[in-house]
Amino acid sequence: ADFDLEIKVLEAASPADFEPNIISASEGGYDLVIILSGQQKESALKVIPEYPDQKYATIDFVVPDAPNVYSSIFAVNEGSFLAGAAAAMFTTKTDIDGVNEENTIGWISGTETPLINDFYVGFEQGAKHIDPDINILQAFAGTFTDPLKGKELALTQYDQGADIIMNVASSTGIGILEAAAEQKLFAIGVDLNQDDIQPGYILTSMIKNVDKAAYLFVESMVNDTYKGGESLYFDLSSEAIGLTDFAVFKEHWGDKFPQDILDKVEELSQDIQSGEIKVEEFPGVR
């Protein structure tokens, strides 16, 4: 809208659509083709060399040695570190209805990929930074588009003693959030601000502003500053990664709101940005 551009969006119903969609966009006469998600990396690496005159931009993965690709990656491990730390602190807040005596937290995703593993590496490190002995339940739904499966896995983890679960499952995660509200237990949202989907049961959400990358790519194309062969890196200091401000949860719980969690998260964020804390990453994800 800002640049008065014609756009076309191609959505994949399954991984089988990745390659045909990239080919279709590449042959569509567009000035820029933006490819979103590390799940599409393999297809992109196969198709892009066939269209050397087409400009591409990628979100969540890097195409090496490609002068016609402007890439971007996000430090999801840093955001997940904060989420893991928040979850580890929250599971001790037994004065909040639903929080049990067990120091057990959950983590559920769709399918296992290097990017998703990067989420988990940060989450685990953050949780164990607070409590080295914390118990983390981990599960994969096998899909990012099945809320019922997400709910099923969440209910299982709640039965196993988790009182808060990290959702890293896209649409599947909607079921996780539903399970939290149904059981009057808790969850952490992902990618966008999901705090008000189930108010009072979503402690916070780990924000990943992919729109920031997309906008910069489009702007570079319009202003003729496109940097093929280079990459953008978004970490906590970029404000494209981080946690929400807990405001919805605070409004719901009032005097019982654990302010110390928010204070500690802000402290840890500064420690990561200063380099005092080095967040681990999954090998090869960047």
Side-chain angles (χ1 to χ4, degrees):
D2 285 358
F3 302 113
D4 191 27
L5 300 176
E6 175 189 350
I7 64 169
K8 183 176 183 178
V9 178
L10 297 176
E11 296 186 0
S14 73
D17 295 332
F18 293 163
E19 187 174 330
N21 281 354
I22 297 172
I23 291 173
S24 177
S26 301
E27 295 181 350
Y30 292 94
D31 296 293
L32 181 68
V33 174
I34 300 177
I35 305 172
L36 169 66
S37 173
Q39 295 183 75
Q40 299 201 74
K41 181 176 181 177
E42 185 177 344
S43 297
L45 291 176
K46 183 177 179 181
V47 174
I48 286 174
E50 302 299 319
Y51 299 91
D53 297 326
Q54 172 66 58
K55 289 181 179 178
Y56 297 91
T58 64
I59 295 176
D60 270 348
F61 65 97
V62 173
V63 178
D65 304 318
N68 61 328
V69 182
Y70 198 0
S71 302
S72 68
I73 49 176
F74 288 75
V76 295
N77 58 331
E78 293 187 356
S80 284
F81 181 102
L82 299 180
M89 288 184 280
F90 184 80
T91 194
T92 67
K93 305 299 182 181
T94 53
D95 58 319
I96 294 178
D97 296 341
V99 177
N100 60 48
E101 297 286 344
E102 299 180 40
N103 289 353
T104 297
I105 59 178
W107 187 93
I108 299 173
S109 190
T111 59
E112 188 172 1
T113 67
L115 177 65
I116 293 301
N117 287 333
D118 200 45
F119 269 98
Y120 184 75
V121 166
F123 183 79
E124 180 182 44
Q125 184 186 355
K128 292 188 174 182
H129 182 84
I130 300 298
D131 178 5
D133 298 320
I134 196 164
N135 181 31
I136 305 175
L137 306 176
Q138 183 184 29
F140 293 96
T143 172
F144 288 99
T145 58
D146 188 349
L148 290 177
K149 183 64 175 178
K151 185 173 184 179
E152 174 189 329
L153 291 173
L155 291 173
T156 297
Q157 291 194 349
Y158 288 136
D159 286 344
Q160 292 173 340
D163 39 40
I164 185 166
I165 296 172
M166 174 71 181
N167 157 35
V168 193
S170 192
S171 297
T172 296
I174 298 301
I176 299 169
L177 306 184
E178 288 178 357
E182 181 181 292
Q183 298 296 304
K184 298 190 182 305
L185 294 172
F186 306 95
I188 294 174
V190 76
D191 290 342
L192 65 162
N193 188 339
Q194 296 183 315
D195 296 6
D196 59 359
I197 292 180
Q198 304 291 350
Y201 300 104
I202 313 300
L203 175 65
T204 183
S205 297
M206 198 208 93
I207 298 297
K208 178 185 174 189
N209 290 324
V210 297
D211 57 326
K212 200 164 198 176
Y215 193 97
L216 289 173
F217 287 143
V218 173
E219 185 177 45
S220 76
M221 185 266 295
V222 171
N223 294 336
D224 199 26
T225 57
Y226 173 87
K227 298 178 181 179
E230 297 189 18
S231 299
L232 297 172
Y233 181 67
F234 297 96
D235 56 12
L236 288 179
S237 64
S238 73
E239 299 183 354
I241 286 284
L243 300 187
T244 57
D245 60 7
F246 296 71
V248 175
F249 195 83
K250 184 174 184 178
E251 181 179 359
H252 184 89
W253 286 96
D255 292 342
K256 285 190 174 182
F257 174 73
Q259 180 65 37
D260 61 316
I261 295 180
L262 179 56
D263 294 342
K264 185 64 174 180
V265 162
E266 292 175 349
E267 175 189 321
L268 291 172
S269 178
Q270 292 303 313
D271 288 345
I272 291 169
Q273 292 180 62
S274 70
E276 183 174 338
I277 293 177
K278 174 64 176 175
V279 182
E280 298 168 5
E281 60 182 47
F282 186 74
V285 73
R286 294 176 183 84

